[in-house]
């Protein structure tokens, strides 16, 4: 068995060892055996290993867990972004533009985009990335989107209910029937999760409940886009169905926060619904940011993710989202880093990632900085010096 010692770590974020939420260890070392963390401890007691990386006092963190991204698409919507920056509102209507481009693309074109964005994210420290379909919206195009996504990530999500495509515009019930029937059957072999955009202009709560129930019935886990553009019942639907995560959470009532907080008190990953905040979307749509403080103060588990997509948030950068969360959403740097690592893992109901404790997957990032604080303190700076994924230096 080959071993690797990551040595001379000035500040190690474990998210698990000790009383502080980030489980910080100073002057530490991490021993990796194959693809797992085998030992964490003081650098002075580091065991021998086949290979050694001396990080020279730098900070080391678990790799980022980006639990919400839409990477399977073609084309871009830069002109729509420019129009927004000139005052146009974001409505989600541009999704259909991307659906047209995606349907017209070849498999290899879609595959190249997924790989390009996945590589971009990896260089910025993302070691796990969820990938959604949702720009195909036909049986064949949703199935191929997920087949291509599954080549790159085990965390794949069927989002056939992103919007009602133009050809079903006047018969949304028929589209819901398609999603629950042949589309789900074709998509499910490549998907772990099912998601619905539950929002005015997309799917109402009854359609969302029906679609998510069909997904659950074939063994998919539930996640939901909800309360992004306005208030509504989506977040409470997610809690009712035991969703792993409800995402966006920009417009919340007290009842929504109470519902999310209620799940936080039940132990274990099996019942908790995480609130995943996507500040890249508010940045890129020039919208008010979600009230992260209100959620955190209520005891809700919060994750941060990029929402990487060509419409509302064309960034693959978790450090950018951390900086936004700290500066614009009043999360502390520690809360934001936790949310981008352990929080994302909870949103995917994974306990083997987002932490650096013995037995966890050996997904580590080495910063070009002495502390995790620099991720928010030095926005826009490429601070990820090295990424180790599955025990392998990238
Ligand atoms: O998460 N809200 C729905 N879906 C995406 C946006 C998709 C798009 O505009 O292309 C989101 O923001
Ligand atoms: Fe999204």
């Amino acid at each position: 068995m080959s071993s690797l010692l990551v040595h001379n770590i000035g500040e190690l974020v474990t998210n698990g060892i000790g009383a502080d939420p980030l489980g910080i260890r100073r002057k530490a070392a991490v021993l990796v055996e194959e693809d797992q963390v085998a030992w964490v401890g003081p650098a002075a007691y580091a065991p021998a290993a086949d290979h050694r990386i001396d990080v020279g006092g730098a900070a080391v963190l678990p790799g980022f867990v980006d639990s919400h991204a839409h990477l399977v698409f073609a084309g871009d919507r830069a002109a729509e972004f420019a129009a927004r920056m000139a005052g146009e509102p974001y409505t989600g209507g541009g999704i259909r533009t991307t659906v047209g481009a995606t349907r017209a693309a070849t498999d290899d074109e879609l595959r190249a985009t997924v790989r390009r964005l996945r590589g971009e994210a990896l260089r910025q420290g993302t070691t796990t990335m969820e990938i959604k379909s949702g720009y195909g919206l036909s049986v064949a195009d949703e199935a191929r989107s997920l087949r291509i996504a599954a080549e790159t990530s085990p965390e794949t999500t069927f989002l056939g209910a992103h919007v009602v495509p133009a050809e079903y515009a006047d018969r949304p019930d028929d589209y819901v029937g398609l999603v629950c029937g042949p589309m789900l059957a074709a998509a499910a072999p490549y998907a772990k999760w099912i998601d619905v955009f539950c929002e005015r202009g997309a799917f109402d709560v009854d359609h969302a409940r029906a679609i998510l129930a069909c997904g659950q019935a074939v063994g998919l886990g539930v996640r939901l886009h909800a309360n992004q553009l306005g208030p509504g019942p989506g977040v409470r639907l997610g809690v009712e169905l035991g969703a792993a995560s409800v995402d966006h959470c920009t417009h919340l009532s007290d009842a929504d926060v109470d519902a999310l907080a209620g799940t936080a008190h039940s132990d274990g990953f099996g019942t908790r619904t995480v609130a995943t905040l996507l500040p890249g979307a508010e940045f890129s749509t020039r919208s008010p940011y979600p009230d992260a403080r209100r959620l955190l103060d209520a005891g809700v588990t919060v994750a941060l993710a990029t929402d990487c997509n060509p419409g509302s948030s064309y960034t693959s950068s978790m450090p950018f989202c951390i900086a936004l969360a700290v500066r614009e959403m009043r999360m502390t740097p520690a809360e934001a880093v936790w949310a981008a690592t352990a929080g994302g893992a909870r949103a995917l109901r994974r306990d083997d990632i987002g932490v650096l404790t013995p037995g966890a997957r050996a997904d580590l990032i080495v910063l070009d900085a002495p502390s995790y604080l620099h991720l928010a303190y030095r926005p826009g700076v490429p601070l990820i010096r090295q990424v180790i994924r599955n025990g392998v230096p990238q």
Side-chain angles (χ1 to χ4, degrees):
M1 184 186 309
S2 120
S3 59
L4 167 69
L5 187 72
V6 183
H7 197 44
N8 203 6
I9 301 170
E11 178 185 275
L12 174 68
V13 172
T14 66
N15 284 340
I17 301 175
D20 69 298
L22 290 185
I24 288 186
R25 286 284 169 269
R26 304 205 185 274
K27 296 191 177 161
V30 175
L31 180 70
V32 172
E33 281 175 358
E34 300 293 335
D35 59 354
Q36 287 194 354
V37 173
W39 176 91
V40 176
Y45 299 105
D50 303 327
H51 308 280
R52 212 174 222 259
I53 298 177
D54 184 335
V55 302
V60 169
L61 287 75
F64 298 125
V65 178
D66 185 353
S67 60
H68 184 140
H70 310 244
L71 303 189
V72 195
F73 63 84
D76 75 28
R77 286 165 30 213
E80 184 190 308
F81 174 77
R84 277 204 300 277
M85 295 305 108
E88 290 294 315
Y90 174 77
T91 60
I95 294 171
R96 283 182 180 170
T97 308
T98 301
V99 169
T102 304
R103 287 177 177 176
T106 65
D107 289 10
D108 281 343
E109 284 164 348
L110 296 178
R111 190 171 282 125
T113 297
V114 171
R115 292 198 176 150
R116 174 174 63 80
L117 293 170
R118 184 64 193 92
E120 199 179 89
L122 183 66
R123 290 191 294 281
Q124 296 169 94
T126 298
T127 47
T128 302
M129 197 167 193
E130 183 258 15
I131 305 177
K132 300 178 196 299
S133 66
Y135 291 114
L137 308 190
S138 70
V139 172
D141 287 305
E142 284 295 300
R144 78 164 171 154
S145 295
L146 285 160
R147 184 166 36 78
I148 289 168
E151 294 169 2
T152 296
S153 175
E155 301 294 345
T156 52
T157 300
F158 170 45
L159 181 58
H162 198 182
V163 288
V164 177
E167 63 275 20
Y168 281 88
D170 49 1
R171 25 184 203 123
D173 289 345
D174 290 354
Y175 186 65
V176 172
L178 182 76
V179 171
C180 288
M183 196 184 283
L184 176 63
Y190 308 106
K192 180 167 171 186
W193 302 97
I194 185 162
D195 192 343
V196 172
F197 185 19
C198 182
E199 195 86 38
R200 194 184 296 270
F203 293 87
D204 67 20
V205 70
D206 294 328
H207 281 158
R209 184 185 278 107
I211 293 164
L212 294 170
C214 294
Q216 274 180 317
V218 298
L220 303 185
V222 169
R223 37 205 331 107
L224 203 55
H225 281 71
N227 302 57
Q228 174 186 7
L229 306 176
V235 163
R236 271 164 290 146
L237 174 67
V239 171
E240 174 195 319
L241 296 178
S245 178
V246 287
D247 297 29
H248 285 289
C249 295
T250 308
H251 297 270
L252 298 183
S253 66
D254 288 345
D256 297 328
V257 177
D258 288 349
L260 287 164
T263 73
H265 299 303
S266 41
D267 282 328
F269 287 9
T271 49
R272 186 184 288 117
T273 298
V274 173
T276 299
L277 308 183
L278 308 164
E282 277 74 38
F283 177 89
S284 181
T285 59
R286 192 171 274 149
S287 304
Y289 289 92
D291 191 345
R293 270 277 45 92
R294 182 178 175 210
L295 289 165
L296 289 162
D297 292 347
V300 175
T301 304
V302 170
L304 284 171
T306 61
D307 198 13
C308 183
N309 76 78
S312 64
S313 182
Y314 203 4
T315 180
S316 57
S317 172
M318 290 293 279
F320 174 61
C321 295
I322 290 170
L324 286 180
V326 171
R327 175 61 182 82
E328 303 293 338
M329 288 157 54
R330 298 183 187 282
M331 291 175 77
T332 66
E335 287 167 340
V337 164
W338 191 92
T341 50
R346 302 242 170 137
L348 295 172
R349 296 214 161 136
R350 296 272 301 268
D351 58 9
D352 60 329
I353 55 177
V355 293
L356 291 177
T357 50
R361 229 171 67 178
D363 290 346
L364 295 74
I365 54 182
V366 182
L367 298 190
D368 230 336
S371 169
Y372 73 87
L373 289 169
H374 287 230
L375 287 165
Y377 172 47
R378 305 203 62 219
V381 174
L383 288 182
I384 312 301
R385 186 201 294 171
Q386 178 152 34
V387 179
I388 297 169
R389 183 159 177 263
N390 275 328
V392 181
Q394 303 293 303

